[in-house]
Amino acid sequence: MQYIFTPAAKPSQSPFPSEGGWEGEPSSRQVGEGAETPDALGAMDARFYAWFPAMHSRVDLLLVADRSEDAFRAMAEEIRQAVARLEQLANCYDPVSPLARHNADQSLPVPDELRGLLTLSKWYKEQTLGLFDPWFAGRCNLSAFLKGYALDTILPLLTRHGITNAVVSMGNSSILFLKEDRVLTTSGNATAERRHIVNPLTGQYVEGRRTVSVETPTQSIDPDGTILGGGALGEVLSTALFVADDEQRRQLLQRFPQARRQPVRP
């Protein structure tokens, strides 16, 4: 894991290049109504950026808090281990993972967390008109929402450490903005040549260069009492909305009013 640590700025220090400072003549960045201040920017707090490879992609962390370098490193390592544990649990392409073994022989017992993931994936299939369906020919591939679920796993870890300002990006497609209490998730085809999402109802790849982004709260409660993590919900909905037709999109957004669909990007 690679990282960059920026210590907290003292009250007499400006976090910006010198154009004045917090003392003396104000810089152009500080002038006017709503001007930036150390408190507004969290400039008094230290910043810690780290990244590591995971889930066939990379995880980027930006943590802002009054913490030491060692404390940040310990938190980042805890996050890395949590993501690695999920990947080892539910990577269907790893023949020794519990999910791959379950796909090969569904009579085998599965760990409790994996059982919960399988149950959740079936619930989402039912609630999305079958447009999100990680099951094919009796086998399960959870890749479509595992990154989002990882964000839901990281959230309580950050909360337990008292972190209230953080950005966590899973491959740039699922991003937690902790301070805003939101998750932004994107699914689609980045290029016209790329086809990787199948419409479960037709069995056909969705063609064409376009993406769908969905903004969700970090946590919500469904009318049936199910607690929904914003990461997994965003992954599910961005995928389902990507393959849906206009009427199906209307029904999905009516079913999950806590989600906001961002404009489609061609």
Side-chain angles (χ1 to χ4, degrees):
M1 178 169 56
Q2 301 185 40
Y3 73 91
I4 299 172
F5 173 73
T6 304
K10 297 179 181 178
S12 61
Q13 293 177 325
S14 168
F16 301 125
S18 60
E19 306 178 25
W22 303 128
E23 296 182 343
E25 291 296 323
S27 73
S28 60
R29 303 188 191 202
Q30 298 169 266
V31 176
E33 185 177 355
E36 296 172 342
T37 66
D39 287 341
L41 292 171
M44 301 302 298
D45 288 333
R47 288 165 167 77
F48 182 90
Y49 166 75
W51 76 271
F52 55 88
M55 297 186 178
H56 306 288
S57 186
R58 62 182 277 168
V59 179
D60 291 86
L61 311 172
L62 177 60
L63 311 177
V64 181
D66 183 14
R67 299 289 191 279
S68 68
E69 181 176 353
D70 287 344
F72 276 129
R73 288 180 62 187
M75 275 186 271
E77 177 59 21
E78 192 172 347
I79 290 171
R80 189 196 67 78
Q81 290 182 13
V83 173
R85 177 183 55 78
L86 281 177
E87 188 169 18
Q88 292 166 2
L89 178 75
N91 180 2
C92 68
Y93 301 107
D94 179 358
V96 301
S97 75
L99 179 57
R101 293 200 301 267
H102 174 71
N103 282 336
D105 183 355
Q106 295 188 13
S107 68
L108 294 175
V110 297
D112 289 343
E113 185 171 19
L114 179 57
R115 183 180 299 107
L117 275 168
L118 296 174
T119 300
L120 184 62
S121 69
K122 292 177 179 178
W123 185 86
Y124 272 124
K125 177 183 177 180
E126 295 170 356
Q127 303 303 316
T128 59
L129 312 173
L131 293 167
F132 172 82
D133 186 1
W135 299 82
F136 179 76
R139 296 176 179 271
C140 183
N141 182 345
L142 296 175
S143 302
F145 84 142
L146 197 59
K147 291 176 184 172
Y149 183 84
L151 289 180
D152 298 336
T153 301
I154 291 169
L155 176 61
L157 187 157
L158 294 172
T159 302
R160 177 163 50 82
H161 284 286
I163 301 298
T164 59
N165 190 359
V167 178
V168 183
S169 171
M170 301 290 298
N172 291 329
S173 60
S174 295
I175 308 173
L176 166 67
F177 298 92
L178 182 58
K179 195 170 184 178
E180 288 75 28
D181 193 35
R182 309 298 289 178
V183 177
L184 181 66
T185 308
T186 300
S187 295
N189 296 331
T191 67
E193 296 74 26
R194 188 183 188 201
R195 302 183 312 159
H196 70 116
I197 298 177
V198 174
N199 184 330
L201 303 184
T202 66
Q204 301 296 313
Y205 283 101
V206 180
E207 310 238 6
R209 179 179 180 270
R210 63 184 176 88
T211 60
V212 174
S213 296
V214 175
E215 184 181 330
T216 51
T218 54
Q219 190 175 92
S220 58
I221 301 178
D222 193 74
D224 72 0
T226 302
I227 297 175
L228 305 177
L233 175 60
E235 291 265 25
V236 167
L237 284 181
S238 63
T239 300
L241 289 167
F242 179 71
V243 305
D245 61 28
D246 289 343
E247 174 57 23
Q248 290 167 335
R249 291 188 189 103
R250 185 193 67 76
Q251 292 182 50
L252 288 170
L253 292 173
Q254 186 177 52
R255 173 64 183 81
F256 295 99
Q258 67 270 51
R260 290 191 294 181
R261 178 192 176 202
Q262 302 300 314
V264 174
R265 292 181 291 171

